[in-house]
Amino acid sequence: MSSDVRPARRWKLRLASGLVGAAVTLEVIRRLSRRDDRPPGPALPTTDTAGASAAGRMDTRADPPPTWIRLDTAERNRYWWRTALVTLTFTGIAVTAGLTTQAADRWWSVGSIAVFYSLILLTLVNQVNGATCLTPEGMEFRTFFTRRSVPWSEVTAIEKRLRTVRSGTWSEIRVVRVKGRTLTVPGAYTARWHDTEFEAKLATIRRHWARAVES
């Protein structure tokens, strides 16, 4: 009987270690993302002392500072709690699979769950940390993993679209381009109806686009 207890005990220790590792990983990612809560402003031009007064007179026609589109602190905290709930759910599923499946199939079951959870976790982290910088030249999409720029000259429409998944219906902003597929604007999505902050983000993007077209 002791031979049956030892493997089960080892599996409990391994799964407990996996739970702690997932929690630590989630906390590290959350702390890394908080370092970028205040995106940097535009770079200041460097001038010599002799030309400072002339530069000050010319600065009246300088381009406005970039505008950032991103989730605010309350929204990010809400989605981080959702990510933590997903982590606990998949950990429970992994524990159940590890304790109920046979030894020959145990690694396959737990490994499959871990891979599927990792894909979902990366998607959630990418969404929470997404941000868009609006400049007179175009839009710069920033996520946890990628950077991409879209000039205003390539934009033909800024649309609000609904996307239905198992967790509910989400509103997001899509950029329609002259060529290529449409792009989702990072930092601009919501699961709430009549979200005033989301509508304000949509209006801001359209205003920047219209200003660039007119100029």
Side-chain angles (χ1 to χ4, degrees), residues 28-47:
V28 169
I29 295 175
R30 188 181 70 86
R31 288 182 178 273
L32 288 175
S33 67
R34 290 181 64 182
R35 295 174 59 184
D36 196 36
D37 277 347
R38 297 181 64 182
L44 296 177
T46 57
T47 58

Side-chain angles (χ1 to χ4, degrees), residues 129-167:
N129 288 277
T132 300
C133 180
L134 308 178
T135 67
E137 292 75 27
M139 313 171 69
E140 182 178 348
F141 298 159
R142 297 188 179 187
T143 67
F144 198 75
F145 304 103
T146 61
R147 299 286 187 274
R148 182 167 190 167
S149 298
V150 179
W152 293 119
S153 58
E154 295 183 4
V155 178
T156 61
I158 307 291
E159 299 179 348
K160 172 185 176 180
R161 295 188 181 182
L162 299 179
R163 180 168 56 91
T164 302
V165 295
R166 291 185 177 181
S167 59

